Amino acid sequence: MRLYLKYFSIHLKSQMQYKVSFFLTALGQFLVSFTALLGVYFMMSRFNEVAGFTLQEVLLCYGTILLAFSIAECFGRGFDVFPQMIGNGEFDRALVRPRPIVFQVLSSKMEFTRIGRVLQAVFVFCYAIPASGIVWTGDKILTLALMIICGSIVFFALFLVYAAFSFFTLEGLEFMNVLTNGGREFGRYPFSVYGDGVLKFLTYIVPLALFQYYPLLYLLGRETGIAYMLSPLMGLLFLIPAYAFWRFGLSRYKSTGS
């Protein structure tokens, strides 16, 4: 942990060397996400509700998915740019260092400009939480915390899968963006609005719905079972096949010779 915090400090100081660039990039991240927020607002102002969900309820989804993704992208950025690490030979050097490979990749890149998206998610929560009409008891506060924390871990697992494919292709596969960036975009609305087929896929294959849709039903009082409250924890099981695929790819890795 001490070494990771050291890397954290190094990345933060290096990015803050160019403060104007840092803040403009963070502002750009905020504004890009803000256009998505406007899309949600205009959509809901026209139709009032989508699949039975009001604007305030949809904004809970929006804030959760945006905050979870932004945290994962900030601290898991090393896996998102992992193909570059293979291509420039940096991964070969990492293999001979006396530290776990996952740790080295994880600490190789941190993107603090994602603070722009984080702030927007916080602003959305500041409006949606009191306006949603939810009585925020201890169990519901815990549920919301689990949605954000477990959501970040699920997105991190998707970045890990994306990086593992690079062992075989040497280049990043763009189709994974359907699940990472696409998951963030489609997650602006409860996943049930896309149909039963998509909901089942995002429940049993890629468990984005386990931290976004099912606990939302618990927050809104539409479901009372403890399974809905704790469904984000079940999503953490996705780490097992994700890490297994990473280990499998690592065992098949051949240097590019860079």
Side-chain angles (χ1 to χ4, degrees):
M1 178 57 71
R2 182 179 300 176
L3 182 58
Y4 182 79
L5 292 176
K6 183 66 174 179
Y7 277 112
F8 181 96
S9 176
I10 291 172
H11 285 296
L12 181 60
K13 289 178 180 178
S14 65
Q15 292 177 37
M16 291 302 293
Q17 289 298 310
Y18 303 94
K19 294 181 176 61
V20 174
S21 175
F22 177 87
F23 288 113
L24 287 178
T25 303
L27 178 62
Q29 293 287 333
F30 181 92
L31 293 177
V32 168
S33 297
F34 187 69
T35 59
L37 178 60
L38 287 178
V40 172
Y41 173 77
F42 290 130
M43 173 77 170
M44 298 303 296
S45 63
R46 174 65 177 85
F47 296 102
N48 296 322
E49 64 178 40
V50 175
F53 293 92
T54 65
L55 172 62
Q56 293 77 15
E57 294 167 351
V58 167
L59 288 180
L60 282 176
C61 279
Y62 179 88
T64 299
I65 206 85
L66 181 62
L67 184 55
F69 180 85
S70 300
I71 293 173
E73 191 178 32
C74 176
F75 296 102
R77 184 67 171 168
F79 290 97
D80 195 26
V81 297
F82 184 69
Q84 301 175 20
M85 194 173 182
I86 290 181
N88 61 23
E90 177 61 28
F91 186 67
D92 292 344
R93 290 191 288 271
L95 289 173
V96 299
R97 294 170 183 157
R99 293 290 178 180
I101 293 299
V102 169
F103 172 81
Q104 292 189 61
V105 178
L106 184 66
S107 59
S108 65
K109 182 75 173 179
M110 299 178 195
E111 196 61 72
F112 295 107
T113 56
R114 269 45 182 182
I115 189 67
R117 291 178 182 170
V118 172
L119 288 176
Q120 183 177 140
V122 171
F123 292 152
V124 169
F125 277 135
C126 288
Y127 168 74
I129 287 176
S132 62
I134 298 173
V135 178
W136 291 97
T137 55
D139 60 324
K140 293 190 176 181
I141 294 174
L142 175 61
T143 301
L144 183 60
L146 289 176
M147 291 169 69
I148 297 170
I149 296 171
C150 296
S152 300
I153 296 173
V154 170
F155 275 121
F156 171 79
L158 286 172
F159 287 135
L160 187 63
V161 172
Y162 170 80
F165 273 115
S166 302
F167 288 124
F168 306 98
T169 64
L170 301 182
E171 296 290 340
L173 295 180
E174 292 301 320
F175 85 90
M176 284 297 298
N177 288 328
V178 175
L179 301 176
T180 52
N181 292 294
R184 182 197 69 205
E185 292 299 316
F186 289 115
R188 292 179 290 177
Y189 301 96
F191 285 125
S192 61
V193 306
Y194 303 110
D196 289 339
V198 173
L199 182 59
K200 289 179 180 178
F201 176 81
L202 296 178
T203 300
Y204 301 108
I205 307 300
V206 181
L208 298 179
L210 289 181
F211 74 85
Q212 188 250 38
Y213 174 65
Y214 297 107
L216 177 67
L217 298 180
Y218 184 84
L219 288 180
L220 300 178
R222 301 185 184 184
E223 297 289 347
T224 58
I226 190 80
Y228 286 86
M229 173 186 174
L230 300 179
S231 61
L233 294 177
M234 292 187 283
L236 298 183
L237 294 175
F238 185 61
L239 273 174
I240 299 175
Y243 183 70
F245 184 51
W246 164 268
R247 294 296 302 176
F248 176 75
L250 182 60
S251 68
R252 299 296 189 275
Y253 171 69
K254 295 181 179 180
S255 174
T256 61
S258 300

